[in-house]
Amino acid sequence: MYKLYEFFSSGNCYKVRLLLNQLDIAFERIEIDILQGESRNPDFLSKNPNGRIPVLETETGQFLAESNAILFYLSEGTNFLPTDSFEKAQVLQWLFFEQYSHEPYIATSRYWISILGKAAEYREALKQKKAGGEAALRVMERHLTEHKFFVGERYTIADIALFAYTHVADEGGFDLAEFPAIQDWIERVQEQPKHIGITQQL
Amino acid sequence: MYKLYEFFSSGNCYKVRLLLNQLDIAFERIEIDILQGESRNPDFLSKNPNGRIPVLETETGQFLAESNAILFYLSEGTNFLPTDSFEKAQVLQWLFFEQYSHEPYIATSRYWISILGKAAEYREALKQKKAGGEAALRVMERHLTEHKFFVGERYTIADIALFAYTHVADEGGFDLAEFPAIQDWIERVQEQPKHIGITQQL
């Protein structure tokens, strides 16, 4: 059985939980309390030298880090990843967009405000994150105005990756009221079979 | 023929040039001067709404953004990407590591110091980039102490992606003298057939 080393409220970990649930794959959760430094102790670093969650452990004891690499690994050969070479590349384009242009702004703001509860302490840093996060949301809005999902007009891991932090963007101080196409897409994602919420215990 | 929209001195663009050359694929270069805002004008935004280079245009007029998604697309079915599912996922793990934990520190520092020539103006911001960049180099050093290449003991797009900004890390103020395994790996990468340098005109 797969083991998932994760911090429950992390969107990056939720991505993997959501896909595993939608693929009907059983797994064991191992909570790593990043607030207590558990992702930086020697035992965890032997699993991921980069000291970040989530990490997936396979049945043969191999470790895979980086949430979006884990999504790709689990979804290959399933309906959640296109087989067409260009569509697969488009999925990856959105996965890299998410990690470079979206997550560092929206997820980091949510972490400071809602996980650490330190909005006041991070006030200046949060201001710097605002423009980048809104730019990412505008790119998504533009795309979703013309498309139902990110790639191939159907639900893929590109939607899962972008949904994870977008649907809780308000917890990072971002107002989705200005992004109606994103709001409609969030509903479409939530209507997918075997969808689970980010705080839902399995 | 492929068209590559790129800014010549960008490491993200160099990755794609290097792979195209090693794959013996002809392509047309179109220089986008990001310093003049050319990646943010309406024509370019119609190709990549995220306003970033590189962008690959296929023969059928489709556009693909994100350097590492382009590497994956071009390398599928070649010796530069493993066919084994877990090894392919490990390649992706390193590609996401590069974009999240490496490029934002080392490439951004190089951009401020050596492309913009504004080391003094960005002195405080550069200090903040130092720890993250050194942490990424330590993760690489640890891996390369035990491995010749990043995945499967052979040269893949994981090496290309990480080589692009690592071998010019000094231009971002990082000293590779402390990382002997990285230095040896840089030599191994440079010895690959049809290798080209970052400043090499094709």
Side-chain angles (χ1 to χ4, degrees), chain A residues 45 50 52 62 64-66 68-69 72 76 85-86 88 92-93 96-97 99-101 103 142, chain B residues 45 50 52 62 64-66 68-69 72-73 76 85-86 88 92-93 96-97 99-101 103 142:
Chain A
L45 290 173
N50 199 29
R52 295 181 194 275
Q62 287 185 292
L64 186 63
E66 297 292 336
N68 290 352
F72 188 97
E76 242 195 327
S85 177
F86 195 78
K88 198 179 342 181
L92 285 170
Q93 174 192 291
F96 284 108
F97 166 83
Q99 283 290 286
Y100 193 88
S101 299
E103 203 264 17
R142 176 172 170 166
Chain B
L45 289 173
N50 200 28
R52 296 181 193 275
Q62 288 184 291
L64 186 63
E66 298 292 335
N68 290 352
F72 187 96
Y73 175 66
E76 242 196 326
S85 176
F86 195 78
K88 199 178 343 183
L92 284 170
Q93 174 191 291
F96 284 108
F97 165 83
Q99 283 289 286
Y100 193 87
S101 299
E103 203 265 17
R142 176 170 169 167

Side-chain angles (χ1 to χ4, degrees), chain A residues 9-158:
Chain A
S9 58
S10 154
N12 285 325
C13 298
Y14 166 59
K15 293 173 190 175
V16 181
R17 262 190 340 263
L18 174 54
L19 178 62
L20 283 165
N21 198 62
Q22 294 191 308
L23 285 171
D24 261 326
I25 296 175
F27 63 101
E28 179 188 347
R29 289 192 60 242
I30 293 139
E31 182 77 2
I32 301 294
D33 190 344
I34 60 174
L35 304 180
Q36 300 297 323
E38 289 179 6
S39 59
R40 307 280 167 164
N41 69 30
D43 180 55
F44 188 82
L45 290 173
S46 72
K47 299 174 173 65
N48 179 12
N50 199 29
R52 295 181 194 275
I53 41 89
V55 168
L56 185 76
E57 181 177 352
T58 69
E59 296 194 1
T60 56
Q62 287 185 292
F63 297 100
L64 186 63
E66 297 292 336
S67 59
N68 290 352
I70 298 171
L71 290 185
F72 188 97
Y73 175 67
L74 293 170
S75 67
E76 242 195 327
T78 78
N79 290 335
F80 296 85
L81 183 69
T83 50
D84 173 77
S85 177
F86 195 78
E87 282 193 348
K88 198 179 342 181
Q90 287 178 310
V91 166
L92 285 170
Q93 174 192 291
W94 286 110
L95 296 185
F96 284 108
F97 166 83
E98 192 267 338
Q99 283 290 286
Y100 193 88
S101 299
H102 184 293
E103 203 264 17
Y105 303 98
I106 296 175
T108 302
S109 298
R110 173 179 177 259
Y111 184 72
W112 289 337
I113 295 173
S114 298
I115 309 290
L116 296 184
K118 294 185 174 174
E121 186 177 323
Y122 284 91
R123 195 170 57 182
E124 282 307 309
L126 280 163
K127 275 187 200 165
Q128 292 176 25
K129 294 290 182 186
K130 198 77 176 172
E134 287 177 347
L137 293 171
R138 280 195 299 276
V139 169
M140 291 174 67
E141 179 74 10
R142 176 172 170 166
H143 189 82
L144 292 168
T145 302
E146 295 178 2
H147 301 282
K148 286 180 70 172
F149 294 103
F150 278 96
V151 178
E153 302 303 330
R154 64 186 192 282
Y155 180 67
T156 68
I157 56 168

